[in-house]
Amino acid sequence: MKRVQLEIVLGTVFALMSVGILTVMAFDEKNRLAEFEQSQRAELIEFGAAVYEINCTSCHGSHAQGVDFVAPCLRCEELFTTRLEDIGWDGGLEDYIISVVTTGRQISTRPAEFVGGGSPAMPTWSEKLGGPLRDDQINAVAAFIMNFEEWALNPDAIPTPIEEVAAVDDPVARGFTLYNQFGCGACHTISRLSAGIVGPALNGIATRAATRVDGLSAEDYLYESIVLPSEYVVEDFLDNLMPPNFVDLLSEDQLQDLIAFLMTFEEE
Amino acid sequence: MISTLRERFNIPPRGEMRRWFFAMIDNRVRIITAGLSIKELRAIMRGDPPTEKPNPRYKVITTSFIMHLRPRYYQAASTRFTHTFRLGWFTMFFFIVETITGVILMAYYIPFPDNAYESILIIESNVFFGELMRDLHRLGAEAMVIFSWLHMFRTYFTGSYKGQRTFTWLTGVILLAFTAWLSFTGYLLTWDQLGYWAITVGTSITESGPVFGPGLNIIMRGAPDIGAGGLLRFYLQHVILFPLLAILLISVHYYKVAREHSISLPAPVEEGDMEKDEKKKHTRRIDLIPDLLTHELFLTALGILALLAILYFGWFDSPLETHANPQKTPLDTKAPWYFWWLQGMLKIDPAQIIETIMGTIGIQVELSQLLNSKFIMGLIVPPTLVFILLAIPYIDRNPSRLAKNRPFAIAWGIAWIFIMLALSYMGLPQYGIETPAATRIIQDLAPEEGLGPLREIPHEELVPGIYLLADYVAGEDLCPDLAYQPRASEGDDYTVYGCPHLSEVFAEFAERLLLAEESGELPFLHAYFLIEDFQPNVKRVVPTVNWTDPDTGQEQTYDVDFFLHEDGRREE
Ligand code: HEM
């Protein structure tokens, strides 16, 4: 065989092999597209979880369980069943979430239950309106919240959270985690840590606590402020805003950890 | 009636129908092939000589526009595979692959920060063969870069830049720069962390320039930071400006080869003393049609098959990291690998080197104020290198192309290859950059981008709990009570007992931490894995490391939250 002929034969064989590969790929392509879409949705949810973790836990709780008096539960039945009707929203839930998160909430629709950060109750999140999040991040966090549906409709399936904080052997570090987990920062300001304005700032609280109530040590006063907030109401602030149920939510050890954390903030 | 039709359409009488019919077909074939008859095509296939005179195979070259770009013949020795390795040809092949796949991708791509990344996802998840097009485009780009470099080295080592070919070499060097720039501009378009930061770091080099540096930076980026303006500029350069410039320059480059000086003969044939007959054999003509053209069709089939096979067997996968985030600098920014040499060069500080050299001979100098290393290594050295490349035909006045007559040129070429390799090695993201132990260990476990060992743990094995370093026993399974059936992937159902993958990953984590504790990097170490159910099908995994900073005595924590969905990507 001459070289030209050999090349024609081989070239034809190669071309046929290419067509073969393309055919095999084409048969699998529908499958691949579906799989890709599924894993893409999964990754969107993972990404949304990370966005939630960074931006939303301070008000809505570490596991979206909500914080009493601050912000609603985002993994509970109400949001997935009656909420849209109550608020008069015609579209779907995912769109509702995207819309609320994009614009935030100037005034809470349930001021008695959830004050959030005061005014606005929830800040604007969209970059386009001056917030910190891009559209794709908002879409992701909405996909993440939607993924709670199964638990929302069947709350028994929700596992009790793992005592993450117990593993840390430093009470102050544990206290800081609790401070975030229970949404204290939504109402209280501590420089560089949180910026809530509903309650008094806690900078220098260790020093102040010692002088608040005669006969109570700083630790005892802090204990009382958290467990029985109405016993002593700080001047210029309203009674009954600080949730009275921390005593039920926090174990004795956790209370001690929180106090250890707050005791690190002395007046300069 | 029939006879009027016959007349009207020039159809011959019955007896001559057959002949007339073949003549008509033959005529059509001649029109399509720009001059080859059916008989001629048959002769080509059988390797027979031309059937008519003058040679109709040459006629094609004058009548067809595309073919007129080609030479009629090359001399036999120039077409030796081991002379050109078809490197220039393959560079062109990949350029065409890029053009075709690029036009298809363009149909779906939106050059705007809000949509760019999503449009890539849509190409991969909703466009039939979309992933294939993207992979071909990306693979073709890398191949084109590689082949143009190799092609340059080939022409350098065969001394084909001399004499008449000087101008061809000059256009070649510029084409090399165009090729690099085309791939660089394409890098940004996916608008993921990888591209965004590679381009941010890349363009920031211009900023260090004096006077017009900051201005240049703004022209390139469209704003102080890359945003909508920058993306649009890069897009337009990538899809219009540089493809057109490249086509223009390739035409000039190839015109020289096809019309002026042809492909060089191997130096021994051109300069070596050879018998007349022998020389004749090497310089006899090889016609474009049919020999070279069939060879090129063969190479085309080979090239396409190679590309498809690489993709089919999964040896190449286009990278796509998370959405670009200007607020979050990744731990390591990676330039594309063919720019690692540049990245490596940027890690060299000339001021320091001069200071040390002067120091050893006893002169103390303070240069770091005077010499800005980014400016020198980023803005002075690379253009100088390009300039030297351009000047090679003028620097090297040695008329001979024989390797044995140009030992210096050959030695330089080899040294040059090694320098590029060494610089590229220095350009590796890890080289010369220190990351704190805890960060490095956790990042190796679960990198910011891509998969990493943590992601490869099957979802079932992520049993909620806290796994303390203090409880770590080498070789022990972390969840002895677990038994699960892996998700129906392939093969029969079988049961896995315990959590071998999780235990292995945790062991790796523990062993590395304990080593770092021993070496004093992480004193008072306390570490754990937290795993919990975060959502019905999402686990939250938090590797945490606590230690006391040896210098400040401060307690430090490094932890990262990872969220793993059961349907998330587990393997490439
Ligand atoms: C887009 C990039 C390029 C394309 C498409 C291209 C294409 C070609 C082609 C098809 C040839 C014919 C010979 C062969 O296949 O080897 C050729 C020859 C040549 N190219 Fe390139 N080239 C490119 C880049 C370069 C570069 C970067 C250089 C060197 C700096 C270069 C220098 C030369 C020289 C000197 C010749 C003549 C070789 C000889 O006569 O043996 N080209 N080019």
Side-chain angles (χ1 to χ4, degrees):
Chain A
M1 216 181 333
K2 298 205 174 97
R3 181 163 158 181
V4 169
Q5 286 168 313
L6 182 71
E7 286 186 334
I8 291 177
V9 171
L10 272 182
T12 314
V13 171
F14 287 170
L16 287 176
M17 283 166 78
S18 294
V19 172
I21 292 185
L22 282 176
T23 316
V24 175
M25 279 178 160
F27 272 113
D28 195 42
E29 185 70 357
K30 281 259 144 50
N31 245 339
R32 192 197 63 74
L33 289 175
E35 256 170 44
F36 193 96
E37 196 148 341
Q38 191 188 19
S39 75
Q40 198 178 308
R41 177 83 187 169
E43 277 165 47
L44 191 68
I45 291 170
E46 292 173 357
F47 182 46
V51 173
Y52 180 87
E53 165 97 13
I54 294 168
N55 298 286
C56 321
T57 44
S58 61
C59 290
H60 290 283
S62 57
H63 293 70
Q65 75 277 36
V67 176
D68 285 344
F69 299 97
V70 178
C73 172
L74 297 177
R75 63 170 195 196
C76 297
E77 206 178 345
E78 189 190 353
L79 181 64
F80 289 85
T81 51
T82 54
R83 179 70 180 153
L84 293 187
E85 209 169 302
D86 290 350
I87 203 140
W89 178 270
D90 286 337
L93 180 57
E94 195 157 348
D95 292 336
Y96 171 69
I97 298 174
I98 292 174
S99 144
V100 179
V101 176
T102 301
T103 54
R105 267 270 147 85
Q106 193 57 29
I107 300 164
S108 174
T109 58
R110 294 161 286 188
E113 284 174 81
F114 306 114
V115 289
S119 173
M122 172 158 81
T124 300
W125 291 104
S126 170
E127 205 175 50
K128 301 216 162 76
L129 305 172
L133 300 183
R134 299 184 310 265
D135 284 355
D136 66 293
Q137 290 172 310
I138 293 179
N139 292 343
V141 85
F144 162 73
I145 294 173
M146 291 304 289
N147 194 38
F148 272 123
E149 181 157 11
E150 196 184 317
W151 280 358
L153 303 180
N154 177 20
D156 295 338
I158 301 180
T160 41
I162 287 186
E163 293 286 330
E164 173 181 356
V165 283
V168 182
D169 56 6
D170 175 12
V172 174
R174 285 198 301 254
F176 175 51
T177 312
L178 291 167
Y179 181 85
N180 288 329
Q181 194 174 334
F182 286 88
C184 311
C187 295
H188 292 286
T189 295
I190 295 180
S191 304
R192 289 196 297 279
L193 291 183
S194 67
I197 52 163
V198 176
L202 296 179
N203 295 315
I205 186 66
T207 319
R208 242 175 299 127
T211 63
R212 282 277 195 233
V213 178
D214 283 342
L216 279 188
S217 70
E219 283 89 349
D220 289 345
Y221 169 75
L222 290 176
Y223 189 88
E224 190 197 77
S225 308
I226 300 170
V227 172
L228 296 169
S230 297
E231 278 299 297
Y232 175 91
V233 177
V234 181
E235 213 177 305
D236 296 337
F237 288 91
L238 292 178
D239 192 8
N240 293 330
L241 270 183
M242 168 121 171
N245 61 342
F246 284 128
V247 62
D248 308 323
L249 299 174
L250 293 160
S251 70
E252 196 58 34
D253 287 345
Q254 289 179 319
L255 277 168
Q256 292 308 330
D257 291 340
L258 254 179
I259 291 168
F261 166 68
L262 291 176
M263 285 304 290
T264 58
F265 298 102
E266 291 177 0
E267 210 103 47
E268 313 255 296
Chain B
M1 160 97 177
I2 287 186
S3 57
T4 32
L5 274 181
R6 279 226 152 102
E7 243 161 67
R8 173 101 178 61
F9 291 102
N10 259 332
I11 298 173
R14 268 241 167 98
E16 288 176 41
M17 264 303 260
R18 214 181 118 91
R19 220 173 47 89
W20 172 82
F21 186 71
F22 276 108
M24 191 183 77
I25 301 262
D26 195 57
N27 195 26
R28 286 291 125 193
V29 170
R30 279 174 196 263
I31 290 172
I32 291 168
T33 60
L36 299 182
S37 66
I38 296 178
K39 223 166 116 202
E40 185 64 37
L41 282 177
R42 210 168 128 233
I44 284 177
M45 295 284 195
R46 302 169 57 140
D48 292 343
T51 56
E52 294 164 33
K53 264 192 180 167
N55 187 343
R57 298 174 188 178
Y58 290 151
K59 191 169 170 228
V60 178
I61 289 170
T62 35
T63 38
S64 150
F65 169 72
I66 299 287
M67 294 313 292
H68 104 282
L69 302 172
R70 313 298 315 272
R72 279 162 199 253
Y73 59 84
Y74 285 128
Q75 288 170 308
S78 322
T79 67
R80 269 188 211 156
F81 183 78
T82 48
H83 179 53
T84 64
F85 297 99
R86 312 294 181 261
L87 294 167
W89 189 89
F90 268 113
T91 312
M92 190 61 207
F93 169 78
F94 289 118
F95 183 72
I96 294 171
V97 169
E98 289 309 276
T99 311
I100 295 171
T101 53
V103 167
I104 296 173
L105 290 173
M106 247 176 103
Y108 299 94
Y109 179 76
I110 306 170
F112 195 67
D114 278 1
N115 313 76
Y117 184 76
E118 209 187 328
S119 62
I120 303 286
L121 290 179
I122 286 174
I123 288 170
E124 297 222 19
S125 70
N126 273 302
V127 177
F128 195 86
F129 274 163
E131 191 193 34
L132 179 68
M133 285 307 128
R134 202 182 153 232
D135 285 348
L136 280 175
H137 196 69
R138 196 104 190 183
L139 180 60
E142 309 221 331
M144 188 175 160
V145 172
I146 299 176
F147 277 83
S148 50
W149 274 96
L150 292 178
H151 173 57
M152 176 179 74
F153 280 117
R154 185 297 271 179
T155 52
Y156 179 81
F157 284 117
T158 58
S160 307
Y161 51 84
K162 301 187 180 206
Q164 286 178 298
R165 295 191 173 80
T166 301
F167 188 70
T168 315
W169 170 269
L170 296 188
T171 52
V173 174
I174 298 172
L175 276 172
L176 186 72
F178 280 5
T179 308
W181 187 251
L182 271 168
S183 70
F184 188 68
T185 48
Y187 224 65
L188 180 67
L189 303 186
T190 51
W191 206 247
D192 60 348
Q193 282 286 79
L194 180 68
Y196 183 86
W197 286 98
I199 305 301
T200 298
V201 173
T203 49
S204 75
I205 294 174
T206 55
E207 230 173 346
S208 61
V211 194
F212 46 82
L216 195 63
N217 188 39
I218 289 195
I219 292 174
M220 286 217 295
R221 290 184 178 177
D225 289 311
I226 297 172
L231 180 54
L232 193 60
R233 275 165 179 70
F234 272 68
Y235 177 69
L236 293 176
Q237 292 185 47
H238 185 76
V239 303
I240 300 181
L241 184 60
F242 279 88
L244 288 183
L245 287 178
I247 289 173
L248 184 72
L249 219 67
I250 290 174
S251 310
V252 174
H253 188 73
Y254 190 70
Y255 187 84
K256 288 273 158 193
V257 177
R259 282 289 125 83
E260 194 183 352
H261 52 60
S262 188
I263 296 180
S264 58
L265 282 168
V269 176
E270 196 175 70
E271 297 176 25
D273 38 2
M274 219 175 246
E275 296 280 317
K276 253 234 166 88
D277 285 351
E278 176 87 359
K279 189 143 183 166
K280 228 183 190 147
K281 202 182 103 208
H282 287 305
T283 52
R284 75 169 199 285
R285 293 174 171 191
I286 304 250
D287 284 341
L288 181 72
I289 299 173
D291 298 59
L292 298 176
L293 203 60
T294 35
H295 181 61
E296 287 174 6
L297 286 174
F298 163 75
L299 290 181
T300 308
L302 180 70
I304 292 176
L305 181 64
L307 285 174
L308 288 179
I310 288 174
L311 297 181
Y312 180 76
F313 291 113
W315 294 327
F316 180 88
D317 201 16
S318 315
L320 185 66
E321 295 194 343
T322 51
H323 194 289
N325 186 350
Q327 261 84 51
K328 186 172 153 232
T329 321
L331 277 179
D332 351 273
T333 42
K334 295 190 253 2
W337 57 264
Y338 37 85
F339 281 126
W340 281 353
W341 60 275
L342 190 61
Q343 191 162 291
M345 223 154 63
L346 286 167
K347 289 182 189 167
I348 299 174
D349 182 357
Q352 211 191 344
I353 293 176
I354 300 177
E355 277 170 24
T356 344
I357 293 176
M358 298 299 266
T360 51
I361 55 171
I363 306 169
Q364 294 294 329
V365 281
E366 189 47 68
L367 287 171
S368 48
Q369 298 294 317
L370 286 168
L371 301 175
N372 174 344
S373 79
K374 200 169 180 182
F375 172 58
I376 294 178
M377 301 316 281
L379 277 188
I380 302 288
V381 178
T384 313
L385 288 182
V386 174
F387 188 75
I388 293 177
L389 266 186
L390 283 172
I392 280 181
Y394 305 100
I395 298 173
D396 178 9
R397 308 301 309 179
N398 179 351
S400 173
R401 290 177 49 223
L402 275 170
K404 68 168 195 266
N405 294 340
R406 45 198 292 262
F408 281 114
I410 302 283
W412 264 113
I414 292 171
W416 185 17
I417 294 179
F418 279 105
I419 291 174
M420 290 299 277
L421 290 177
L423 283 173
S424 295
Y425 174 72
M426 286 172 61
L428 287 179
Q430 288 81 9
Y431 181 90
I433 293 193
E434 269 179 43
T435 328
T439 314
R440 186 44 73 198
I441 292 172
I442 291 187
Q443 285 302 322
D444 285 350
L445 209 62
E448 277 175 341
E449 302 288 350
L451 295 173
L454 193 64
R455 259 194 182 277
E456 278 159 22
I457 302 174
H459 204 72
E460 293 84 351
E461 290 193 14
L462 297 172
V463 182
I466 291 182
Y467 302 92
L468 293 168
L469 176 65
D471 296 342
Y472 167 69
V473 179
E476 197 179 74
D477 198 282
L478 290 177
C479 12
D481 300 335
L482 182 72
Y484 73 94
Q485 248 135 35
R487 289 167 130 209
S489 46
E490 61 224 35
D492 318 306
D493 280 352
Y494 59 97
T495 309
V496 175
Y497 295 96
C499 47
H501 299 84
L502 173 65
S503 307
E504 193 183 316
V505 170
F506 187 73
E508 169 82 13
F509 174 69
E511 298 289 349
R512 288 188 60 185
L513 281 174
L514 292 173
L515 268 180
E517 186 186 31
E518 230 166 78
S519 73
E521 277 175 283
L522 299 175
F524 302 102
L525 177 66
H526 168 72
Y528 61 93
F529 259 30
L530 171 113
I531 302 179
E532 69 172 348
D533 285 309
F534 202 62
Q535 283 196 323
N537 39 20
V538 176
K539 307 273 187 186
R540 173 166 168 261
V541 183
V542 193
T544 306
V545 179
N546 279 286
W547 74 99
T548 304
D549 188 282
D551 301 326
T552 61
Q554 292 267 321
E555 196 167 305
Q556 307 266 331
T557 303
Y558 184 78
D559 61 359
V560 185
D561 286 63
F562 295 103
F563 298 95
L564 303 175
H565 191 292
E566 66 178 348
D567 295 334
R569 235 171 0 136
R570 285 299 144 91
E571 57 210 318
E572 301 275 9

